[in-house]
Amino acid sequence: ALQYAHLLLNVTPLELRSTATTLSIPTLSLLLSNGQISKNQKDLFALTSGVNLKWQEAQLLLHHADTMELAVSKLSGMFNDAAFSYRQQSELPWEKFVENTAIHEGAFNYRNKQLHANAASFKLDPSTHTFYGYNYDVTPNMSAAETFQKARWQRDYITVKGDALQVSGIHLSGDSALSIRKITVDKAALTTARDKRIPVEHGIEKYMPTKLIRTIPFALQVDSIVLQESAVTVNESSKTTSKWAAVPITEINALITHFGNVYNDSLHLQASGKLLGNPIRYFSYNESYHDTLSGFDAQSNLAPMDLKDFNAIAIPMAAVKVKRGHADTIYSAWSGNKYATLGTMNFHYRQLK
């Protein structure tokens, strides 16, 4: 066995290249302390040591033919474990790597055949088990116009971008289960578009939220998701007028709890925001994970509004114009499942024309 108090290795620069991988690290240092390297009777080596690995401005490129590409740039960080242990032919301790790795700075670009995703900056703090992402976006490779031109059936075209994302209390267990205490999304914008002039594909089940969450291929538990000052914009074309209309929901502040595929109670959502610039005072949605029919209940309460604001939707979608009108109160409550919904809406208005 080889025993040591300190082993120090400095590399400037380090470059590794293969068919699908390129790694470049301008500065790397490795300090091993108070450890030993040994072999057992089967001639397999084992390492027990303190490990401190630091790197600066690393560049990593992974690609697979024309189907996937991942580029990580400006990556600086450190791996520090005072009691690292590894035995040859055993599985790498990925939980240890995640729990003891700090990323001080980095950026990434990802692309596959369908979409591309970018983050201008990201960080990882192992002391609080928190990931930070800044100025990110996810966008299909084709434009909306190209997508609808080639589409045989109606589909949603979705883009996402945001200022900041914080994932706190991350814990990855040995059985690939991921638990997260809190996700905070700040100033995110989700945009959807659907061309209603394209035929509908019948016989396709559209999953309810809990059933869609159940399709995640690993165990996931997120205690809470907080949305701050975010927005959703729904764009649709009208088969009647062939025009497009946008429905903006802005200034969304929401709390989602029990998000994951390990829960047996219900998914909960509470939110407020603005519809066409008018306040949504309260919105709630609860859906059962246990119910095979995805039973749910919901409520909404909207502030008084000028009904002429709906012309932004009514004119392009139905060629109808509101000349005047005011809604004093709009509130509703409904319940249902994946097959049917039943509820009541109270819509008090005056001087509608």
Side-chain angles (χ1 to χ4, degrees):
L2 171 64
Q3 295 181 334
Y4 52 84
H6 299 285
L7 288 176
L8 177 62
L9 175 65
N10 290 313
V11 179
T12 306
L14 173 66
E15 290 194 7
L16 299 174
R17 297 180 182 273
S18 67
T19 304
T21 305
T22 301
L23 174 63
S24 174
I25 307 176
T27 303
L28 180 143
S29 67
L30 173 62
L31 173 63
L32 302 178
S33 58
N34 301 319
Q36 70 172 18
I37 302 173
S38 60
K39 284 188 176 183
N40 61 17
Q41 294 178 347
K42 295 182 180 180
D43 207 31
L44 300 176
F45 81 88
L47 169 67
T48 302
S49 178
V51 177
N52 184 278
L53 177 67
K54 297 179 181 179
W55 64 92
Q56 296 288 333
E57 296 289 326
Q59 309 280 336
L60 174 66
L61 177 63
L62 303 174
H63 62 90
H64 180 70
D66 61 346
T67 61
M68 187 278 291
E69 181 175 292
L70 172 65
V72 181
S73 59
K74 302 183 295 183
L75 187 64
S76 299
M78 175 180 66
F79 172 78
N80 187 39
D81 188 350
F84 181 80
S85 178
Y86 174 72
R87 286 173 174 76
Q88 190 177 1
Q89 294 187 353
S90 64
E91 292 187 3
L92 287 172
W94 292 110
E95 311 92 77
K96 279 273 191 179
F97 286 119
V98 173
E99 292 176 359
N100 294 287
T101 297
I103 297 177
H104 308 313
E105 184 61 48
F108 79 83
N109 304 89
Y110 171 81
R111 179 183 292 271
N112 62 24
K113 283 188 172 182
Q114 288 78 39
L115 58 82
H116 56 274
N118 308 283
S121 175
F122 68 89
K123 301 177 182 180
L124 180 64
D125 182 356
S127 64
T128 59
H129 305 281
T130 301
F131 171 86
Y132 302 89
Y134 303 98
N135 298 322
Y136 58 88
D137 64 86
V138 181
T139 308
N141 292 333
M142 291 194 299
S143 68
E146 291 172 321
T147 299
F148 295 140
Q149 185 178 22
K150 296 181 179 181
R152 182 181 178 187
W153 308 110
Q154 285 186 24
R155 292 290 186 269
D156 290 319
Y157 182 90
I158 301 174
T159 66
V160 178
K161 63 179 181 180
D163 284 3
L165 173 69
Q166 180 177 321
V167 184
S168 308
I170 303 170
H171 179 69
L172 180 63
S173 63
D175 56 357
S176 298
L178 175 61
S179 64
I180 297 169
R181 187 179 69 254
K182 183 180 180 181
I183 299 175
T184 303
V185 182
D186 189 39
K187 294 181 176 62
L190 184 147
T191 302
T192 71
R194 176 174 283 239
D195 193 339
K196 291 294 188 72
R197 297 166 296 183
I198 301 172
V200 176
E201 184 178 12
H202 297 286
I204 302 298
E205 180 180 1
K206 191 170 184 178
Y207 285 129
M208 297 289 284
T210 54
K211 292 296 182 287
L212 189 61
I213 294 169
R214 292 284 192 191
T215 64
I216 296 173
F218 56 88
L220 174 65
Q221 175 181 329
V222 182
D223 294 342
S224 64
I225 302 174
V226 177
L227 275 69
Q228 300 176 162
E229 295 300 317
S230 296
V232 174
T233 303
V234 179
N235 298 279
E236 284 191 357
S237 69
S238 169
K239 192 174 182 179
T240 302
T241 66
S242 292
K243 294 182 178 180
W244 285 84
V247 182
I249 305 174
T250 57
E251 298 182 31
I252 297 172
N253 291 283
L255 172 64
I256 302 170
T257 56
H258 290 190
F259 183 96
N261 52 18
V262 299
Y263 294 103
N264 289 313
D265 46 8
S266 296
L267 174 70
H268 303 289
L269 165 65
Q270 292 182 327
S272 63
K274 286 187 175 181
L275 172 64
L276 297 170
N278 298 282
I280 302 171
R281 288 173 171 165
Y282 178 77
F283 176 82
S284 72
Y285 181 86
N286 305 288
E287 183 180 314
S288 171
Y289 283 105
H290 182 70
D291 185 357
T292 56
L293 297 180
S294 303
F296 69 89
D297 63 77
Q299 297 181 37
S300 66
N301 188 330
L302 279 69
M305 65 177 65
D306 187 338
L307 294 177
K308 294 195 299 294
D309 293 340
F310 280 95
N311 284 331
I313 305 171
I315 293 175
M317 296 301 288
V320 173
K321 182 178 181 179
V322 178
K323 292 185 177 180
R324 70 168 184 262
H326 188 84
D328 294 321
T329 306
I330 304 175
Y331 62 93
S332 62
W334 64 99
S335 61
N337 55 38
K338 68 178 183 179
Y339 293 117
T341 302
L342 179 66
T344 59
M345 173 180 283
N346 295 271
F347 186 9
H348 299 279
Y349 60 88
R350 52 187 168 85
Q351 297 180 334
L352 179 61
K353 183 178 179 181

